[in-house]
Amino acid sequence: MRDTLSRKRRLAMAGATTLCVLAFAVPAAAQTGGSGPPGSTTTDTTSPAPAPVGPPGKAKIRKDGTAVAPADAPAQIQSAIAAANAIHTLPYICGGGHRSFASSGYDCSGAVSYVLHAAGMLSSPMTSGSLASSWGVPGKGRWITVYGNASHAYMVIAGKRFDTSSGGDRWNQGSGPRWRKQKRKPVGFTGKYFPGF
């Protein structure tokens, strides 16, 4: 019995190590600053460390407000969750995250852009309206869905909402990009996803 548990733990650790290594194999677009609009600075080439990996299925939100990626999440999704965790305590700043992915605070579309960039799904920041009209393809993704309209954008990653607006969530975490425990009805929003995810 003890040998079986020990073998299972070793296999779990080997799997987690493999997933962490894969998390760094994001597409080249995520490793470069991309090309932003004239006058913008998008030279941030560092990516957040991969998120810890939990059991398969949906992401889990911890008491500290960070999320844990599910074990079956692809490397790009683990990178997206790690990026969201990296900015989850920053304040809401109108226009934050649009001149550069690196910012001291983020607005809704700046936060979504930051996370998509870390996942290799976006090369320069986009506004809410642009995310709704020009990014991805219409519909609901398996791992990431971005919901946008002319005035707001948020995303659902591995089943958990990442949003600058509480959207009815009573778990008060302050303003800014946060993981939200409560789902939000996407009435008035266009759902978009990145092909394959």
Side-chain angles (χ1 to χ4, degrees):
M1 173 95 171
R2 194 175 287 171
D3 287 341
T4 302
L5 287 174
S6 178
R7 189 175 311 131
K8 286 182 180 179
R9 285 187 185 129
R10 284 195 303 270
L11 287 172
M13 287 300 293
T17 301
T18 301
L19 286 172
C20 287
V21 169
L22 290 174
F24 289 104
V26 293
Q31 296 174 12
T32 63
S35 58
S40 70
T41 306
T42 55
T43 57
D44 179 29
T45 59
T46 59
S47 293
V53 179
K58 294 184 177 183
K60 306 283 184 219
I61 300 177
R62 294 186 276 194
K63 289 181 182 179
D64 68 357
T66 60
V68 179
D72 55 345
Q76 291 89 342
I77 304 311
Q78 291 183 42
S79 293
I81 290 172
N85 285 342
I87 64 172
H88 90 281
T89 59
L90 295 180
Y92 182 92
I93 296 177
C94 187
H98 286 279
R99 287 189 51 137
S100 169
F101 286 112
S103 183
S104 59
Y106 292 85
D107 67 11
C108 59
S109 55
V112 170
S113 293
Y114 179 86
V115 172
L116 291 175
H117 175 69
M121 299 176 185
L122 186 66
S123 61
S124 60
M126 297 180 87
T127 64
S128 301
S130 294
L131 287 166
S133 63
S134 304
W135 180 83
V137 295
K140 186 176 178 183
R142 160 73 176 96
W143 291 103
I144 291 181
T145 305
V146 172
Y147 294 98
N149 60 30
S151 60
H152 187 61
Y154 69 96
M155 63 196 317
V156 175
I157 310 170
K160 299 299 176 188
R161 179 166 63 104
F162 190 69
D163 195 346
T164 56
S165 168
S166 66
D169 194 345
R170 290 179 291 184
W171 189 43
N172 185 4
Q173 305 173 75
S175 69
R178 307 287 189 265
W179 291 103
R180 308 294 179 172
K181 290 185 177 180
Q182 186 171 347
K183 291 184 178 184
R184 180 177 188 159
K185 291 184 180 180
V187 176
F189 290 90
T190 300
K192 302 294 271 302
Y193 71 98
F194 192 82
F197 295 96

